[in-house]
Amino acid sequence: MDNDIFLKIIAREVPADIVYEDEHCIAFHDIAPKAPTHVLVIPKRKTPKLSDFTPDKDPDVMHAFSKIPHVAKILGLEDFRVILNNGEGACQTVFHIHFHILGGKRLAWQPD
Ligand code: AMP
């Protein structure tokens, strides 16, 4: 069985504070926010990491990325940062591609 927490959120088996959803992606608040606003945008069809991604096979990843400005607008963010951690060595902990949107304060360029 796939233990992917994000698939469980999509299936409503685990609760989440959802801010946007459509047929191909979902966005919800991160449970351990690293900025005043920290939302994850996730393709519904699972691709484990960016290294596995191919545009032809993974259109939901492209779709999720394309929805980031819309989600930021819903959140009232004019300025924000987008992060994708690829692989354990880059602090990826959930192996289902996700875009972090961080904002709600003036962000330093150096990660905290
Ligand atoms: P990453 O470290 O890039 O793989 O990011 C995974 C993110 O998922 C982390 O920022 C976690 O805080 C977040 N996360 C894990 N479980 C949940 C959950 N149940 N609801 C919301 N966010 C979660």
Side-chain angles (χ1 to χ4, degrees), residues 3-56:
N3 214 28
D4 177 348
I5 187 78
F6 294 164
L7 286 179
K8 291 181 177 168
I9 287 172
I10 291 164
R12 301 299 197 274
E13 292 165 12
V14 167
D17 185 359
I18 296 167
V19 297
Y20 175 79
E21 182 171 21
D22 64 27
E23 205 185 332
H24 301 290
C25 76
I26 188 167
F28 50 85
H29 287 275
D30 195 293
I31 203 166
K34 293 178 176 56
T37 303
H38 184 173
V39 161
L40 305 173
V41 187
I42 293 174
K44 286 193 171 174
R45 189 178 171 284
K46 177 174 182 166
T47 304
K49 54 197 279 205
L50 190 59
S51 304
D52 303 322
F53 163 78
T54 52
D56 292 350

Side-chain angles (χ1 to χ4, degrees), residues 34-98:
K34 293 178 176 56
T37 303
H38 184 173
V39 161
L40 305 173
V41 187
I42 293 174
K44 286 193 171 174
R45 189 178 171 284
K46 177 174 182 166
T47 304
K49 54 197 279 205
L50 190 59
S51 304
D52 303 322
F53 163 78
T54 52
D56 292 350
K57 284 197 214 136
D58 304 301
D60 281 13
V61 175
M62 309 288 277
H63 178 80
F65 181 73
S66 79
K67 287 294 169 185
I68 290 172
H70 180 64
V71 173
K73 199 172 254 180
I74 291 171
L75 296 166
L77 298 176
E78 194 172 329
D79 300 329
F80 55 90
R81 179 166 295 149
V82 176
I83 292 176
L84 186 155
N85 295 324
N86 184 75
E88 258 174 37
C91 296
Q92 184 175 5
T93 57
V94 179
F95 285 80
H96 180 143
I97 284 183
H98 49 284

